[in-house]
Amino acid sequence: MNPVPAAPLAEAAGLSVTAREGGLRVEGLAFAVAPSELLVLVGPVEAGSAVLRAVLGIERPDAGVGRVLGEDASALSRARAAALLSRVGFHPRSGSLLANLTLRENLLLPLQFHRRLTTAEAERATAAALDRFGLAGAPEVRPEEVALPVRRRVALARAILLDPELLLLDDPLDDLEEDVAREVVAAVGAWARERPRGVLVTSHLAGTAAALRAPALPLPVIRA
């Protein structure tokens, strides 16, 4: 008897979205990311961002459907969508670090919202996440006070802090020096292969998929 295929952790069917900038539209995108799979969507920066926002239910698509963990988050109540997305790690292209908080405060946010941990447990969890990306700690300084590689690593550590089943990364190597990009790729790949997790990445860089040892899917982009 053949085993039943695992349900996709992220998927799109006939997904069409319009980018916020650049006059671009992704038309009829289809993909599925199963546990233990990595997939890189290759195309213009704004197009990839629009796809991830639709898959996460942040914005409704023009047509088709995107799902995470089997659910269309845009069709759920706010409470159900929040519970669903707590099982998903997301690194937007901006990094999503709040300018009015220190790096350490930014890192602790997911634990404060979704976990009841002691101070010691929270410290261990954050230290382990930071260590994966080559940081000994998150400084008590605002994001604008440190270089881009440090901000990017803290944001990535925060994205995996709750040990998500699925990780979505929006152009995570953008503007990084080659040596830093290699370290980020190695850290993401090692994390993804520890257990049956899914990783969906967007990138405008053709070499990202090869670096992650993942298949590449060109985005079907047209001018809007």
Side-chain angles (χ1 to χ4, degrees), residues 133-144:
F133 293 99
L135 293 177
E140 288 284 8
V141 296
R142 301 292 172 85
E144 71 272 11

Side-chain angles (χ1 to χ4, degrees), residues 39-116:
L39 176 65
V40 180
L41 305 177
V42 182
V45 169
E46 288 295 339
S49 298
V51 168
L52 292 191
R53 289 194 298 268
V55 170
L56 287 165
I58 297 171
E59 296 176 0
R60 288 186 176 275
D62 301 330
V65 65
R67 297 186 184 89
V68 290
L69 309 181
E71 298 269 14
D72 177 359
S74 69
L76 301 178
S77 68
R78 182 174 297 181
R80 287 186 61 197
L84 175 73
L85 296 179
S86 71
R87 298 160 56 198
V88 178
F90 178 42
H91 177 278
R93 186 159 48 93
S94 65
S96 74
L97 297 178
L98 300 179
N100 62 325
L101 299 180
T102 68
L103 291 178
R104 184 174 180 277
E105 289 167 340
N106 268 284
L107 185 61
L108 288 170
L109 274 181
L111 296 179
Q112 293 169 347
F113 278 102
H114 300 292
R115 296 287 189 272
R116 294 177 180 271

Side-chain angles (χ1 to χ4, degrees), residues 11 15-16 19 24 67-68 76 88 103 112 167 170 177 206 212:
E11 59 185 315
L15 187 70
S16 296
L24 301 176
R67 297 186 184 89
V68 290
L76 301 178
V88 178
L103 291 178
Q112 293 169 347
L167 181 62
D170 189 1
E177 297 289 341
L212 283 168

Side-chain angles (χ1 to χ4, degrees), residues 2-8:
N2 293 327
V4 177

Side-chain angles (χ1 to χ4, degrees), residues 156-188:
L156 287 164
R158 191 175 75 173
I160 67 166
L161 190 57
L162 298 182
D163 194 22
E165 300 164 52
L166 171 67
L167 181 62
L168 275 63
L169 303 176
D170 189 1
D171 228 349
L173 306 184
D174 189 32
D175 290 332
L176 292 182
E177 297 289 341
E178 187 175 340
D179 57 338
V180 177
R182 280 197 302 268
E183 293 171 6
V184 167
V185 162
V188 170

